[in-house]
């Protein structure tokens, strides 16, 4: 048995992909699928603020891709929004303040539809939660999972549109967040009383440390419902990736 640590990469079918936006840009990304079987659901991940260092490899999203195809039968799509650079490459364009990124979300959801990936969920982190809240309801998603939503760009009116909608809405709010803590989050999401607000004791905006990462991944999988939680902390050696993904 091997312990799952921050550097663990479990087996998956990994493919470098490109997304084409309606305004003519190419975005780079990766699709990770369960090895030897079809996914039960799909996570479309939206990364933190690129002007503050966020990208498709931001650690929670990378660890979701490294673990959840094997542990929870999930497809995990990660990509760099416009103008964002990572080891995978640099997406065309320039940061659009969450406005032009509407085209990036559309490109990702069109890719999901064209590939026939099942039961899509948006998983946004920080800036990515703003994109999920602003544009997610334009697509046939099962729900949105918000990690550390700052609610800087999503307006109260945009948040309120989630109340009559059918997709699930879950927000993980760190107790010690730099931007939005649980008490304020309860007020800011009051227009969506059906939303599930999860206050994470000891949590911080960046979810640093294996304990916090495991809490986030458990909450994602519990919400999506494709595997039992808590997820295992050890796996048989044969479930490890034989060739780690490129750095």
């Amino acid at each position: 048995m091997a312990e799952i640590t921050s550097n663990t990469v479990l087996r998956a079918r990994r493919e470098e992909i490109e997304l084409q936006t309606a305004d003519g840009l190419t975005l780079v990304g990766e699709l990770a699928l369960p090895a030897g079987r079809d996914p039960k659901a799909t996570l479309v991940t939206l990364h933190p603020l690129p002007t503050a260092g966020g990208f498709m490899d931001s650690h929670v999203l990378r660890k979701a891709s490294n673990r959840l195809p094997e542990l929870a039968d999930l497809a995990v799509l990660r990509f760099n929004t416009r103008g964002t650079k990572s080891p995978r490459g640099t997406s065309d364009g320039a940061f659009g303040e969450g406005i032009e990124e509407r085209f990036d979300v559309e490109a990702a959801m069109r890719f999901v539809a064209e590939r026939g990936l099942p039961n899509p969920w948006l998983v946004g982190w920080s800036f990515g939660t703003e994109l999920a809240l602003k544009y997610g309801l334009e697509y046939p998603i099962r729900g949105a999972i918000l990690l550390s939503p700052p609610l800087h760009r999503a307006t109260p009116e945009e948040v309120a549109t989630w109340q009559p909608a059918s997709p699930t809405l879950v927000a993980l709010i760190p107790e010690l967040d730099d931007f939005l803590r649980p008490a304020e989050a309860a007020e800011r999401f009051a227009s969506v009383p059906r939303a599930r607000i999860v206050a994470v004791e000891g949590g911080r905006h960046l979810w640093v440390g294996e304990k916090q990462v495991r809490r986030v991944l458990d909450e994602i999988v519990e919400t999506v419902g494709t595997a039992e939680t808590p997820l295992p902390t050890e796996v048989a050696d044969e479930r490890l990736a034989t060739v780690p993904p490129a750095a």
Side-chain angles (χ1 to χ4, degrees), residues 27-174:
L27 312 178
V28 300
E30 181 201 79
L31 176 66
L33 299 168
R37 58 195 186 278
D38 293 331
K40 295 178 180 177
T42 304
L43 304 183
V44 179
T45 65
L46 303 170
H47 60 69
L49 189 67
T51 55
F55 59 163
M56 62 177 274
D57 286 324
S58 292
H59 77 103
V60 172
L61 307 184
R62 174 173 49 82
K63 291 166 185 173
S65 178
N66 286 347
R67 302 179 196 182
L68 298 186
E70 175 66 15
L71 297 181
D73 289 335
L74 290 171
V76 181
L77 173 63
R78 297 179 297 140
F79 66 97
N80 287 330
T81 57
R82 59 190 55 215
T84 302
K85 180 180 181 179
S86 77
R88 166 68 181 89
T90 303
S91 290
D92 291 347
F95 178 58
E97 296 290 346
I99 300 171
E100 282 81 7
E101 282 81 4
R102 180 178 204 144
F103 295 112
D104 303 355
V105 176
E106 188 277 332
M109 296 310 300
R110 178 160 29 88
F111 177 90
V112 167
E114 290 172 351
R115 287 291 186 96
L117 296 171
N119 300 319
W121 291 76
L122 296 178
V123 177
W125 180 5
S126 193
F127 172 70
T129 70
E130 312 277 26
L131 303 184
L133 287 168
K134 290 169 74 69
Y135 310 125
L137 292 178
E138 298 177 13
Y139 306 99
I141 59 172
R142 296 297 300 272
I145 302 169
L146 313 178
L147 312 179
S148 310
L151 294 184
H152 288 166
R153 292 174 172 82
T155 66
E157 293 75 18
E158 288 169 330
V159 172
T161 61
W162 285 79
Q163 175 55 23
S166 59
T168 298
L169 185 63
V170 176
L172 273 61
I173 312 296

Side-chain angles (χ1 to χ4, degrees), residues 215-233:
R215 176 67 187 277
V216 170
L217 298 186
D218 280 346
E219 291 285 354
I220 290 172
V221 172
E222 180 179 348
T223 299
V224 176
T226 57
E228 293 185 359
T229 58
L231 295 168
T233 59

